[in-house]
Amino acid sequence: GAVVSQHPSWVICKSGTSVKIECRSLDFQATTMFWYRQFPKQSLMLMATSNEGSKATYEQGVEKDKFLINHASLTLSTLTVTSAHPEDSSFYICSANPGTVNGQPQHFGDGTRLSIL
Amino acid sequence: DAKTTQPNSMESNEEEPVHLPCNHSTISGTDYIHWYRQLPSQGPEYVIHGLTSNVNNRMASLAIAEDRKSSTLILHRATLRDAAVYYCILRDVGDDKIIFGKGTRLHILP
């Protein structure tokens, strides 16, 4: 079945560092991918829609200069957390659709746990 | 996105059926009903989806009310591995993105 892979699974780094997270669709092409963040005991919050070959669409309240998204190919989207601070520590999850919508399910990566010291 | 309402948490005994309810009174005619679950420290996993008719797959069954204002996810024989947060989501046929609600945290008792 359709698989979405995220890398890395864990990141621990110092405050002020920029961190890049990769999201790959392994056996299908995805013109659109999505990025979520999740704090402990809370639900997933959609951050942005990543569009292949064009700018990402950010949800209200999400800083586009803080969370840089690049979707350079049909199988790869990256999220860069720039100048990360402890409040950016969270679980980041990506997802992608393997086909046209019509009710088809999305496929999610296993998430990246980011800890900023 | 139309909203869904789910109980915050539920408990069930291992090897017994589990019925997880979801209310979606403002559902539109083109909204699909999706269920996902999230195990601890993992990304969400697709469980099942449907539009009007009841649906079965290897993981679960989805029972949809005739007026489509509610649905029930049925796990026929719960195991400890089914302990997770279950999300009921409405997704329009033309909508790519998924907006998650709070979901139901399912506890399975051995």
Side-chain angles (χ1 to χ4, degrees):
Chain A
V3 177
V4 172
S5 174
Q6 265 185 258
H7 179 80
S9 301
W10 284 84
V11 181
I12 302 174
C13 57
K14 293 181 180 179
S15 186
T17 307
S18 291
V19 179
K20 181 185 282 189
I21 302 169
E22 292 186 348
C23 179
R24 294 181 184 273
S25 55
L26 296 186
D27 54 358
F28 64 95
Q29 293 182 333
T31 55
T32 306
M33 291 185 176
F34 303 91
W35 287 96
Y36 296 83
R37 68 189 293 185
Q38 184 176 33
F39 293 109
K41 304 286 187 188
Q42 294 187 22
S43 185
L44 287 81
M45 185 197 79
L46 179 65
M47 298 175 67
T49 302
S50 173
N51 304 300
E52 189 268 334
S54 64
K55 290 183 179 179
T57 306
Y58 290 82
E59 296 297 308
Q60 192 172 9
V62 177
E63 299 176 59
K64 61 181 181 181
D65 294 329
K66 175 75 173 175
F67 300 100
L68 300 179
I69 292 172
N70 184 277
H71 195 151
S73 79
L74 287 171
T75 59
L76 174 64
S77 174
T78 60
L79 168 69
T80 301
V81 184
T82 61
S83 186
H85 292 285
E87 59 266 27
D88 298 320
S89 298
S90 189
F91 192 46
Y92 292 86
I93 303 166
C94 71
S95 71
N97 289 325
T100 56
V101 182
N102 282 338
Q104 289 304 307
Q106 274 193 19
H107 294 269
F108 290 81
D110 277 338
T112 297
R113 191 163 301 282
L114 175 62
S115 296
I116 308 297
L117 304 177
Chain B
D1 293 307
K3 289 186 177 179
T4 63
T5 304
Q6 299 178 252
N8 289 335
S9 67
M10 290 182 64
E11 267 185 8
S12 180
N13 294 319
E14 195 178 9
E15 298 187 5
E16 290 187 356
V18 182
H19 291 234
L20 295 162
C22 181
N23 288 322
H24 28 79
S25 58
T26 58
I27 191 171
S28 75
T30 53
D31 281 331
Y32 280 80
I33 302 161
H34 284 246
W35 284 82
Y36 289 78
R37 73 179 186 182
Q38 186 178 23
L39 279 65
S41 299
Q42 294 187 26
E45 173 187 30
Y46 166 78
V47 178
I48 201 166
H49 78 285
L51 185 62
T52 55
S53 304
N54 294 343
V55 185
N56 300 296
N57 66 19
R58 64 175 179 80
M59 288 181 72
S61 295
L62 176 60
I64 301 173
E66 198 170 330
D67 63 5
R68 301 211 321 128
K69 294 186 176 182
S70 66
S71 61
T72 302
L73 178 70
I74 302 164
L75 307 179
H76 295 286
R77 195 163 170 269
T79 69
L80 295 176
R81 293 178 60 183
D82 291 321
V85 179
Y86 286 78
Y87 297 98
C88 169
I89 294 161
L90 298 184
R91 193 166 165 219
D92 187 87
V93 65
D95 209 358
D96 256 2
K97 61 186 180 183
I98 288 177
I99 305 297
F100 286 84
K102 294 183 179 180
T104 296
R105 185 173 296 276
L106 177 63
H107 302 273
I108 304 297
L109 305 175

